[in-house]
Structures are given as C-alpha cells and as structure tokens.
Amino acid sequence: KRRGMTLPLLVGGATTSAKHTAVRIAPAYDSPVVHVLDASRSVGVVEKLLNKETRAAFVASNVAAQAELAASFQARNQKLASYKSACEHKFQTDWKNVQIDMPSFIGTRVLDDVSLSDVRDYIDWSPYFMTWELKGKYPKIFKDPVVGEVAQEVYEKANQMLDHVITHKLIQAKAVYGFWPAAADGDDVIVYSDEARNSERTRFHFLRQQWERQGQKDYRCLADYIAPTGSGREDYIGGFVVTAGIGAETLANQFKKELDDESAIIVQAIADRCAEALAEFLHEQARRDWGFGVKEGLSKDELIDEKYRGIRPAAGYPACPDHTEKTTLFELLDATKNTGVELTTSFAMMPGASVSGLYFGHPDSRYFTVDRITKQQTEAYAKRKGWPLTEVERWLAPNLAYDPDA
C-alpha cells in the first residue's frame, strides 16, 4: 500500500487462516486480498481475478466473506485467564509413576538418501485431492457421485508421476532426527549437553493456553509433557527435519517451460505429500528408537490417524505458534548441513516440501491450540527468550489478544 501497489495479494499456507487474513491483512491493503489454503489451490483464484467477467463478483463475494469473519472475530466472547492463573492450573502429571522411556541413542542420526518407494505407503492422499478442490477422504472419495470419477483420474496421474520420479530418481529425500536429555523449567524446556545434565546446551520456549473453554480442567503448554527440574526423573525430547523436495522445483520448472502446468502442479503436490509421509515414516522409526513404539504394530491407516503414543508438533502450528523456535531445532540437528533444508528470513523452510518438528513421548501428550494470549504472557515470553517485546509481538501477532499499537 505504501508503494502504491494494486496487484491482488494471495495469502496461503498451512499456518495461515482465512480469519487472520480477514482481520489482520485485508484491512491494511486496498486491493483484493484472498486467502487460499496452499499455493496449488491458487490457480482457480487467479483465474477468477484475471477474468473480466468474473472478477467483480468474485472480489465482492470475497469482501463480504471477510467482513463476516472480521465481525465474528470482533464479536466473539472469548474469556482469557490471567497468565499467572493459567500457570497455576497447568496440565498435571504424576511424575513419580508416569512411564518415561530412554531412547536407544542420544544425539542425531542422518538418513542421507531415502527412497520414495519406502515412504509412499505412508502417504495420506486425502489432502492431495484438495489441491484440485475435490472434497472427500481417501479412498471413499472414489465412490462420490459428483467428484469420484475426477478424483480417480487425478489419483492415477499422481501415482504415474510418482512412479516416474522414483524410477528416474528425479527427487531426493533426506532426513535427520535426534534425542536429547531434557527437563522442563516453567514453560521452557532445557536441552542438556549430555546425560550428566550439568550443562545446558540450549532451550525451547513455549506458550501456554489462556482461553477458558467449557469443561476444561487445565491450561496446556508443551513444556508440561517433559519432567520438570527437581522431579527426580530423567526425561528426553526429540526433534526432526525431513525433506522430499530436493529436485522438485527443478522438475516443476522443466514442466512449466514445456507449458505443462498440470504436471508442474502434480510434482509439487506429490513432493508435499511425500514430505509428510517421510515425517510419518521417520516418527515410526523414532518411536521404536525410543522404546515405547517397538510393539506398536499399527497399520498404515492407523498411523495416518495418529493412533500411536506421542506427538510431533511443529513450530508455527497451534501448540507452538512461534516460527522462530525452528532456529534452535535446526542448530541442534545441524539440519542445513545434514538435509540441505534452509530457513528463510521469515523462518519458512526451503525446499518447500519439507517438514520439521519436535518429538514428545509423554503417554498423555496430545495436540492443542494456544490461541490468544495476554500481554502479561507476551512480556514473560520475551523475557525468557531475551528478545525485545516489539520483536516478539511481531512474530506472535496472530495470537495477541491485544493491539500492540494501541
């Protein structure tokens, strides 16, 4: 807006939302601002914006929808507990008796060249159909009277492309994962240099829920899943970075030069699916390495439905919305050297078909949403990270329950 730009703005990706776009971004720009779930689904949006016959109606519809989302956000009655009260009512564990397993190794392991044929059985195909704006869950979508036939067609094309990629080794997949001695210190998790636990190597900083929900008993923070200092128990935390995107962009660009945009989209979409599948594949191995997953015996469908013990939350997602925490994980794993995945200045991962996160083995760990936080917690978080409050507010803008500029 400052530069006088009029080009429509498309906002998307797994960690964005239509509501945040409507509330925070669209009001700051005079030209159309449209939320799309991911880059591949922007095709239909761009088509409507470029078509003189459909543009006006599409823009009007988008503005109306965003006005409703913004009004809903302003009108919602979400009560927040004080940060002090949330900490006092944190998720509790009987640390004397809870099962804590010791990993079979401490440090990192690298999978330098993972065959996509080893991970394709772990692919969750349901999100792939969303790339083509086909709603339905795999494999039931094939029987859908409206989209079933088209879904079958795009599925077959995807697997033909995957066969081609695997046969000619056009895309490379890599991974690194590891385990470290750890202990919770309030809402932080200390990572120790070794098993002696005398020297702090680094620490992860987490946020705590503050919103009051009907029937709730606690306010969760990921640090609650790690045995605290002074508990008398020795605990561990794990982490990983995987990519199935090495070579994907080059291949997609090659198809684009040949004016084959469909194949370019397919390549990028299956690379994303393979990255998620590799994360699932690696988590299964990590649980075995941690001991508690040795006798798991789950089917691939049960793995996709997360029927196992433990979680693998990623920085930027609801349980730990601060993207900047990826830096600590990447340093622990020496991820760029070991996988080729790099962090941009906005902490996105390149190649795009990459996944990273932490491993928690607590028997009762589950995913949750931090949602909005008060200035009291933001100030405490900034102090723990040793960052200026303004910098922390910048990165946590979607989660702030107050206007930092007010």
Side-chain angles (χ1 to χ4, degrees):
K1 183 175 181 179
R2 184 181 70 252
R3 294 178 177 179
M5 294 175 65
T6 59
L7 199 66
L9 173 64
L10 274 59
V11 180
T15 59
T16 67
S17 72
K19 181 170 288 188
H20 179 248
T21 302
V23 173
R24 300 282 188 179
I25 304 174
Y29 190 53
D30 295 330
S31 292
V33 177
V34 186
H35 179 263
V36 291
L37 289 178
D38 58 59
S40 58
R41 296 187 68 180
S42 66
V43 176
V45 173
V46 172
E47 186 178 27
K48 291 183 177 73
L49 288 169
L50 289 175
N51 190 323
K52 293 180 180 179
E53 295 180 1
T54 60
R55 179 184 172 103
F58 176 75
V59 170
S61 175
N62 182 62
V63 169
Q66 289 180 338
E68 285 187 19
L69 287 172
S72 173
F73 177 81
Q74 299 299 337
R76 69 176 180 165
N77 183 25
Q78 187 183 47
K79 187 177 179 182
L80 300 182
S82 70
Y83 181 46
K84 180 181 178 181
S85 177
C87 291
E88 290 172 348
H89 295 85
K90 69 178 185 178
F91 172 74
Q92 296 292 334
T93 294
D94 178 4
W95 290 111
K96 289 184 178 179
N97 299 306
V98 70
Q99 180 182 346
I100 298 178
D101 299 271
M102 181 178 179
S104 60
F105 71 93
I106 298 298
T108 60
R109 285 186 178 175
V110 179
L111 283 65
D112 190 53
D113 190 6
V114 185
S115 173
L116 294 183
S117 61
D118 291 335
V119 303
R120 74 183 301 169
D121 287 343
Y122 293 78
I123 293 177
D124 178 4
W125 284 103
S126 296
Y128 179 79
F129 298 109
M130 296 179 187
T131 300
W132 307 99
E133 299 188 2
L134 303 173
K135 295 182 180 179
K137 189 172 182 180
Y138 171 85
K140 292 181 181 179
I141 192 172
F142 297 142
K143 296 181 180 180
D144 187 285
V146 178
V147 302
E149 186 175 340
V150 178
Q152 184 70 52
E153 180 183 344
V154 300
Y155 175 74
E156 289 175 358
K157 286 185 177 180
N159 277 277
Q160 289 170 4
M161 181 65 75
L162 188 53
D163 290 337
H164 176 67
V165 165
I166 291 173
T167 300
H168 299 282
K169 298 181 178 180
L170 300 174
I171 295 177
Q172 189 178 13
K174 293 187 177 185
V176 58
Y177 70 114
F179 303 100
W180 308 277
D185 178 18
D187 290 353
D188 288 349
V189 170
I190 300 170
V191 177
Y192 293 105
S193 299
D194 51 44
E195 283 280 33
R197 299 172 184 261
N198 295 321
S199 174
E200 179 178 323
R201 180 175 177 181
T202 188
R203 62 173 59 201
F204 289 102
H205 309 280
F206 297 117
L207 294 164
R208 183 171 297 280
Q209 291 176 313
Q210 289 187 256
W211 56 298
E212 297 182 0
R213 304 163 322 278
Q214 187 174 4
Q216 81 178 81
K217 296 180 180 179
D218 51 52
Y219 299 88
R220 298 197 178 210
C221 172
L222 287 174
D224 295 344
Y225 298 146
I226 301 292
T229 56
S231 66
R233 300 297 300 275
E234 294 185 343
D235 209 343
Y236 304 85
I237 192 171
F240 70 96
V241 173
V242 304
T243 184
I246 301 173
E249 185 174 1
T250 299
L251 182 58
N253 287 336
Q254 180 180 326
F255 282 121
K256 289 177 182 178
K257 288 180 180 178
E258 297 169 358
L259 303 182
D260 187 355
D261 287 343
E262 181 186 45
S263 293
I265 293 172
I266 292 174
V267 166
Q268 292 170 323
I270 65 171
D272 288 341
R273 289 295 86 220
C274 286
E276 294 288 351
L278 179 52
E280 195 70 76
F281 170 86
L282 189 64
H283 194 187
E284 184 180 44
Q285 178 61 50
R287 293 192 300 276
R288 287 197 292 264
D289 291 333
W290 212 331
F292 58 80
V294 173
K295 298 180 180 180
E296 198 170 66
L298 299 176
S299 68
K300 296 298 185 290
D301 288 338
E302 288 173 323
L303 290 175
I304 291 173
D305 290 337
E306 299 174 351
K307 299 296 185 182
Y308 43 74
R309 169 182 156 184
I311 56 175
R312 58 171 191 272
Y317 283 76
C320 46
D322 184 2
H323 283 276
T324 70
E325 288 294 302
K326 289 176 189 169
T327 301
T328 302
L329 176 63
F330 269 61
E331 289 174 351
L332 278 171
L333 294 168
D334 201 359
T336 300
K337 176 184 176 182
N338 288 322
T339 65
V341 180
E342 298 182 15
L343 291 177
T344 69
T345 54
S346 59
F347 300 96
M349 291 176 289
M350 299 296 292
S354 303
V355 182
S356 65
L358 296 170
Y359 292 139
F360 290 84
H362 192 295
D364 296 320
S365 60
R366 64 170 175 80
Y367 297 103
F368 58 87
T369 300
V370 168
D371 207 84
R372 296 195 301 162
I373 61 174
T374 62
K375 190 170 185 177
Q376 183 185 22
Q377 178 167 189
T378 312
E379 290 173 338
Y381 188 72
K383 185 176 181 180
R384 285 190 279 127
K385 283 176 74 81
W387 285 22
L389 178 61
T390 53
E391 184 70 3
V392 169
E393 287 176 333
R394 174 193 171 199
W395 292 106
L396 296 182
N399 298 86
L400 301 181
Y402 61 95
D403 184 355
D405 297 324

